[in-house]
């Protein structure tokens, strides 16, 4: 990672170019850890594991129930995306921490957590503010928001000053111009997030339980559904509140059938993880396919859109950016066709 190797801590870079797809907080954490233990994958998984443990702990503090812990520790999204070092794991942590501080009536801490969430996942971290707003606690909401700005604004200002064009183009204009659609992403159905029922079965119980946490969950789900870019990991921030609501439902309805159904919802994801192969990212599958035909040291290039930010995924075989495939005389080029499918083109000597 560039930051750990003496790069800028204000402007994240990818292939030596400014890269503002995400704010830098997680990059900062990783860079600090890499200085101590320079192994990207182990370090990344260790960091995400800490955040995942924090999620379970805060969820338990919000609702001390064994069902809360069981639903989270046995959930496919939390296990899988912790393993793949997904940036929405820390986003879920800071969102949950913000909500916990709101319920504890600690606006200063809530604002600080919200600010760190913004530095992790930009505007997607703002949804916990819906809870005090719906409750008409406008003074508390304003205080939390102002403190969050004080925490998050310095980096935004510094990044704009250092690299204004890239900051405006990637961090501000891109999400607005594409209404949430990221170039290179394949389109999906507006009903895409119904797969939450398979990924996290306890949502079935949560649907029938009234809870204040729905004030946070519903606006977030609406925005995700309206967005043109849809991915399973975007659901991570709402998994903990859904686990809490489902746990509350079980405790309020002590019927034997509900108890047995709840245990089934725990066993089901564990069985899927144990007996079914976990999906692999499209780009990693493409590179692994390409490597079967590559000569030692043969380079791999990515055309136009950044498909794989962490080139250390393939030690000794970096994935390099290229603007025009005609510029390449030798090597394998990864590109997306008009349907969004990754294709390989190999140019031999």
């Amino acid at each position: 990672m560039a930051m750990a190797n003496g790069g800028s801590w204000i402007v994240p870079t990818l292939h030596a170019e400014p890269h503002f797809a995400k704010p830098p907080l997680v990059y900062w954490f990783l860079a600090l850890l890499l200085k101590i233990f320079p192994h990207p994958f182990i370090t990344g998984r260790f960091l995400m594991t800490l955040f995942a443990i924090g999620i379970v702990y805060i969820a338990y503090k919000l609702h001390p129930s064994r069902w809360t812990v069981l639903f989270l520790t046995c959930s496919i999204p939390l296990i899988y995306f912790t393993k793949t070092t997904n940036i929405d794991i820390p986003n879920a942590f800071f969102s949950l921490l913000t909500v916990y501080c709101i319920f504890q009536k600690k606006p200063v801490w809530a604002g600080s957590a919200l600010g760190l969430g913004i530095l992790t996942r930009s505007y997607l971290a703002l949804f916990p503010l819906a809870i005090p707003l719906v409750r008409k606690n406008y003074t508390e909401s304003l205080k939390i928001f102002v403190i969050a700005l004080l925490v998050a604004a310095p980096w935004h200002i510094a990044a704009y000053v250092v690299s204004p064009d890239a900051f405006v183009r990637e961090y501000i204009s891109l999400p607005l111009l594409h209404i949430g659609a990221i170039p290179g992403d394949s389109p999906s159905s507006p009903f895409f997030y119904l797969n939450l029922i398979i990924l996290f079965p306890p949502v079935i119980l949560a649907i029938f339980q009234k809870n204040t946490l729905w004030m946070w969950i519903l606006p977030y789900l609406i925005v995700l559904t309206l967005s043109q870019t849809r991915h399973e990991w975007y659901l991570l921030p709402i998994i903990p509140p859904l686990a809490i609501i489902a746990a509350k439902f079980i405790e309020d309805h002590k019927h034997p059938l509900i108890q047995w159904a709840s245990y089934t919802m725990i066993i089901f994801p564990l069985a899927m993880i144990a007996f079914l192969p976990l999906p692999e990212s499209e780009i990693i599958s493409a590179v692994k396919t390409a490597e079967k035909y590559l000569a030692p040291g043969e380079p791999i290039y990515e055309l136009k859109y950044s498909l794989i930010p962490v080139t250390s995924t393939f030690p000794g075989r970096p994935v390099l950016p290229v603007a025009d495939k005609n510029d390449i005389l030798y090597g394998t080029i990864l590109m997306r066709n008009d349907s969004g499918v990754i294709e390989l083109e190999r140019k031999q000597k």
Side-chain angles (χ1 to χ4, degrees), residues 62-260:
L62 278 167
H63 186 73
S65 164
R66 63 189 173 99
W67 291 107
T68 303
V69 175
L70 285 171
F71 284 151
L72 284 175
T73 54
C74 298
S75 71
I76 294 175
L78 197 63
I79 295 171
Y80 178 68
F81 291 117
T82 296
K83 180 181 177 182
T84 57
T85 65
N86 191 286
I87 200 169
D88 279 288
I89 292 288
N91 180 33
F93 171 80
F94 287 118
S95 294
L96 193 64
L97 181 60
T98 302
V99 171
Y100 175 75
C101 294
I102 289 172
F103 286 157
Q104 293 295 311
K105 300 188 183 302
K106 297 178 179 179
V108 174
W109 288 104
S112 301
L114 184 64
L116 294 175
I118 294 171
L119 286 173
T120 301
R121 206 60 174 85
S122 189
Y123 68 92
L124 287 179
L126 292 171
F127 287 93
L129 270 179
I131 292 176
L133 284 173
V134 173
R135 289 175 161 182
K136 299 182 179 180
N137 295 333
Y138 301 123
T139 302
E140 179 186 6
S141 302
L142 181 61
K143 187 174 182 179
I144 293 171
F145 184 67
V146 169
I147 293 170
L149 285 182
L150 291 175
V151 172
W155 172 78
H156 288 79
I157 295 170
Y160 176 77
V161 170
V162 174
S163 186
D165 293 340
F167 183 83
V168 171
R169 181 179 64 253
E170 296 184 18
Y171 192 80
I172 298 176
S173 299
L174 185 64
L176 294 177
L177 290 176
H178 294 277
I179 320 175
I182 303 301
D185 276 343
S186 302
S188 56
S189 165
F191 301 103
F192 176 81
Y193 290 113
L194 288 178
N195 64 16
L196 179 61
I197 296 173
I198 297 174
L199 293 173
F200 191 67
V203 68
I204 299 170
L205 303 177
I207 290 172
F208 299 100
Q209 180 73 23
K210 291 182 179 180
N211 195 285
T212 306
L213 292 173
W214 283 112
M215 300 176 190
W216 164 26
I217 296 170
L218 290 178
Y220 186 83
L221 270 178
I222 290 170
V223 170
L224 290 190
T225 303
L226 294 177
S227 171
Q228 296 179 42
T229 299
R230 303 179 180 96
H231 295 294
E232 292 87 349
W233 55 85
Y234 289 175
L235 294 168
L236 279 169
I238 63 172
I239 296 297
L242 286 173
I244 292 170
I245 297 172
K248 187 71 168 63
F249 177 86
I250 296 171
E251 291 161 0
D252 289 351
H253 303 81
K254 299 185 182 298
H255 193 282
L257 286 177
I258 294 176
Q259 298 285 323
W260 279 107

Side-chain angles (χ1 to χ4, degrees), residues 274-333:
F275 298 108
L276 296 179
L278 291 173
E280 191 170 56
S281 105
E282 186 183 10
I283 178 61
I284 292 178
S285 297
V287 175
K288 285 185 176 179
T289 300
E291 284 200 315
K292 296 177 183 177
Y293 308 99
L294 303 187
E298 180 177 333
I300 300 178
Y301 298 92
E302 54 181 2
L303 182 64
K304 294 182 180 179
Y305 182 62
S306 172
L307 296 172
I308 180 164
V310 185
T311 57
S312 58
T313 301
F314 305 97
R317 199 186 294 278
V319 182
L320 307 171
V322 60
D324 188 338
K325 66 179 182 179
N326 294 321
D327 295 337
I328 302 303
L329 300 177
Y330 168 64
T332 295
I333 306 169

